Amino acid sequence: MALVTTKEMFKKAYEGGYAIGAFNVNNMEIVQAITEAAGELNSPIILQVSAGARKYANHTYLVKLVEAALIENPNIPIALHLDHGADFDICKSCIDGGFTSVMIDGSRFPFAENIEVTKKVVEYAHAHGVVVEAELGKLAGIEDDVKVSAEDSSYTQPDEVEEFVSKTGVDSLAIAIGTSHGAYKFKPGTKPQLRFDILHEIEKRIPNFPIVLHGASSVPQEYVKIINENGGKLKDAIGVPEDQLREAARSAVCKINIDSDLRLGLTAGIRQTLFADPSIFDPRDYLKVGRANVKAVVAHKIKDVLGSEGKA
Ligand code: G3H
Ligand code: 13P
Ligand code: ZN
């Protein structure tokens, strides 16, 4: 099977009350871990690449790694998506370079400018058979080294979504309802609560339209503990409760973005292995443990959070 867009995936997910996992890829081990888990569970999957990932691994390497994963997992639909495209140029470069989906993130702009840049990307993408995700509202947290404080974040305003979607022609919309980027989302001891009232209001304004949640890592405490017990120094924090993500996946939310949880799993495996045996210097010895953790995280999300098992 060739790479697919998210069109069909989202239609089925919307109707079936589940969501597709969008996991960030930066190297071979991460691509392998995600697609092996999805392949074994017969789940559709979105592999997403940030500007930082393209800078680190190089566009061509990432595309070719994903193509290799397609060959290894011929029975599941895989989409290749640009995560947080900052401007038209990076979106164009990914559309021209084999991606099937791009995000134009104009959330830092005023409403009219966000519409303008999104529309421009949509016109180019659709002319090339590629779908587009945009964002309204602003998430807190860290993304590509840019930190948005909780005070500067803002929930998506339901009043704006209809006009935004109709004027831009965009295919899916990322909204801000209380999730945030990174591994330091909420203070331990607090009770994070997503704003389902805003989500449901948005659903009413744009029925049958796929919604995206960014910043959806749950920060598995067992990996934080392993990292800190093996020389790491992560601050105490908790993530988005998984039962709330499961609830979101039953609604109009068709794509759920997860990156930090994979990073924690990978790092925990590497630290644990190197600390247990300081004589190790073959990268395969520690990367395979990190890779196995990433695979376990993805399998757990597919089965217990997203509900996409068996939906390929
Ligand atoms: O939302 C951001 C993703 O976690 C990607 O992070 O820009 O550091 O690759 P990155
Ligand atoms: P997390 O940092 O919560 O994993 O979010 C990832 C994300 O939104 C990528 O776009
Ligand atoms: Zn994001």
Side-chain angles (χ1 to χ4, degrees):
M1 198 190 281
L3 285 172
V4 297
T5 73
T6 53
K7 200 105 205 150
E8 194 60 24
M9 284 185 191
F10 287 171
K11 189 172 179 292
K12 287 189 184 162
Y14 200 106
E15 286 164 4
Y18 61 92
I20 314 291
F23 297 98
N24 288 72
V25 297
N26 292 278
N27 64 15
M28 182 189 75
E29 285 74 11
I30 297 174
V31 171
Q32 288 174 328
I34 298 166
T35 52
E36 270 177 31
E40 284 170 21
L41 295 169
N42 210 26
S43 168
I45 205 86
I46 299 168
L47 300 176
Q48 55 186 12
V49 168
S50 68
R54 280 175 100 230
K55 202 163 145 197
Y56 171 76
N58 170 308
H59 177 99
T60 310
Y61 278 92
L62 289 169
V63 170
K64 294 298 166 192
L65 284 170
V66 171
E67 285 173 6
L70 268 181
I71 295 169
E72 289 293 320
N73 299 278
N75 298 324
I76 55 165
I78 301 178
L80 177 56
H81 173 77
L82 168 66
D83 191 27
H84 293 285
D87 53 33
F88 176 79
D89 288 347
I90 188 168
C91 292
K92 180 178 183 302
S93 166
C94 289
I95 293 164
D96 294 345
F99 284 41
T100 54
S101 173
V102 293
M103 175 188 192
I104 171 68
D105 183 355
S107 60
R108 66 193 180 284
F109 296 129
F111 187 62
E113 256 178 89
N114 191 354
I115 290 181
E116 194 184 330
V117 68
T118 301
K119 193 166 182 283
K120 187 174 171 192
V121 171
V122 168
E123 281 166 5
Y124 189 80
H126 285 182
H128 293 79
V130 169
V131 292
V132 181
E133 171 188 328
E135 180 165 326
L136 261 185
K138 213 184 274 175
L139 269 70
I142 301 179
E143 144 209 332
D144 245 340
D145 298 331
V146 179
K147 190 171 187 328
V148 179
S149 68
E151 304 82 69
D152 290 334
S153 67
S154 55
Y155 293 125
T156 306
Q157 294 176 32
D159 277 350
E160 291 184 343
V161 295
E162 219 177 325
E163 182 183 352
F164 186 85
V165 166
S166 67
K167 285 195 171 158
T168 57
V170 77
D171 301 283
S172 62
L173 186 67
I175 61 168
I177 56 165
T179 60
S180 67
H181 287 110
Y184 304 119
K185 297 187 197 298
F186 309 106
K187 290 204 174 73
T190 58
K191 249 191 128 338
Q193 180 57 57
L194 300 186
R195 290 288 304 271
F196 284 102
D197 55 325
I198 298 177
L199 170 61
H200 295 319
E201 193 51 44
I202 290 170
E203 277 178 311
K204 273 193 232 155
R205 309 285 178 115
I206 44 171
N208 294 313
F209 194 81
I211 299 298
V212 178
L213 280 191
H214 282 247
S217 277
S218 297
V219 190
Q221 296 299 299
E222 66 272 25
Y223 288 139
V224 173
K225 189 164 178 280
I226 292 172
I227 289 171
N228 286 343
E229 282 174 356
N230 289 279
K233 239 185 173 102
L234 296 181
K235 288 181 273 177
D236 258 0
I238 56 171
V240 183
E242 289 189 332
D243 58 335
Q244 293 185 33
L245 294 172
R246 184 69 196 102
E247 188 180 336
R250 282 192 205 100
S251 73
V253 171
C254 295
K255 173 174 180 270
I256 294 188
N257 285 13
I258 295 167
D259 184 8
S260 298
D261 287 358
L262 308 190
R263 296 178 180 196
L264 291 168
L266 185 65
T267 303
I270 293 170
R271 277 199 177 276
Q272 197 171 31
T273 311
L274 290 175
F275 257 63
D277 182 355
S279 72
I280 283 178
F281 70 101
D282 181 340
R284 294 170 296 192
D285 291 340
Y286 50 86
L287 287 173
K288 72 181 176 199
V289 183
R291 180 174 61 187
N293 284 353
V294 175
K295 184 175 171 181
V297 169
V298 174
H300 162 64
K301 301 287 178 184
I302 288 172
K303 283 194 282 195
D304 308 323
V305 181
L306 303 158
S308 65
E309 182 179 8
K311 307 293 188 185

